[in-house]
Amino acid sequence: MRPLLLLDFDGPLNPHTKPPPPGYLRHEIAEGTKSWVVHLNPHHGVELRALAATFDLVWASSWEHGANRLLSPLLGLPQLPTILWPDRTPIPGRSWKTPYVAEWVGDRSFVWVDDGVGDADVAYFPGAHQVVWPVDGRTGLTPDDFRAIRNSFADNGDPAHS
Ligand SMILES: [Mg+2]
């Protein structure tokens, strides 16, 4: 089984900093009567498409199915499996996404990139093949983050932590 790459959108791919860091392009999205402004880095699409050779990409974003409708095309990504969040009630000290991620992934290997996770979420998945990778939502995914994702698993799917 290939490892999963679970993708949060706001923060890792659409930084919270206004104005965004250099390299991000402004996109206006509209659907029905709603509209949004997001800032995307074209290199992220390139990196993610390359990672799809190793990982099965999955949306783990509060945009839920909207990520496929509105965001995947902007990043040059295909329609991806999507984790849904029936209840977003805050959980003290932990991301409200974590129980849903745990249920969705089961025993599969993964790297989960998210700017809303911390030590408790990392510790929630003690297996070395299940990696929670906190991202700085002010910068979005950096070259160092992508290097870490690429190095998370060797070709045989085993963790390659050194
Ligand atoms: Mg986020």
Side-chain angles (χ1 to χ4, degrees):
M1 284 274 245
R2 284 149 50 92
L4 305 165
L5 177 56
L6 310 179
L7 296 169
D8 178 28
F9 179 76
D10 290 314
L13 295 169
N14 176 36
H16 298 301
T17 315
K18 302 288 183 278
Y24 285 82
L25 304 179
R26 175 188 166 95
H27 297 266
E28 290 188 31
I29 305 169
E31 184 177 64
T33 58
K34 293 183 183 172
S35 64
W36 303 265
V37 172
V38 300
H39 294 91
L40 299 178
N41 186 329
H43 291 300
H44 285 174
V46 175
E47 292 275 14
L48 292 174
R49 292 193 297 276
L51 284 167
T54 304
F55 293 84
D56 288 340
L57 274 52
V58 176
W59 282 121
S61 162
S62 58
W63 290 65
E64 295 188 320
H65 293 303
N68 275 325
R69 286 198 311 275
L70 303 169
L71 309 174
S72 284
L74 297 176
L75 291 158
L77 297 176
Q79 301 290 288
L80 302 177
T82 303
I83 303 178
L84 304 178
W85 326 102
D87 182 358
R88 304 183 190 188
T89 305
I91 302 172
R94 208 168 72 204
S95 169
W96 48 263
K97 291 181 178 177
T98 296
Y100 294 109
V101 166
E103 185 182 346
W104 204 91
V105 298
D107 288 336
R108 284 191 70 173
S109 301
F110 70 82
V111 178
W112 172 22
V113 293
D114 198 299
D115 67 315
V117 292
D119 291 345
D121 303 295
V122 173
Y124 194 91
F125 298 95
H129 65 297
Q130 298 191 322
V131 179
V132 178
W133 188 258
V135 175
D136 186 339
R138 297 166 298 183
T139 61
L141 283 161
T142 64
D144 283 344
D145 291 320
F146 279 108
R147 199 169 300 120
I149 295 166
R150 278 194 298 271
N151 293 339
S152 293
F153 296 99
D155 288 338
N156 60 6
D158 287 339
H161 297 293
S162 52

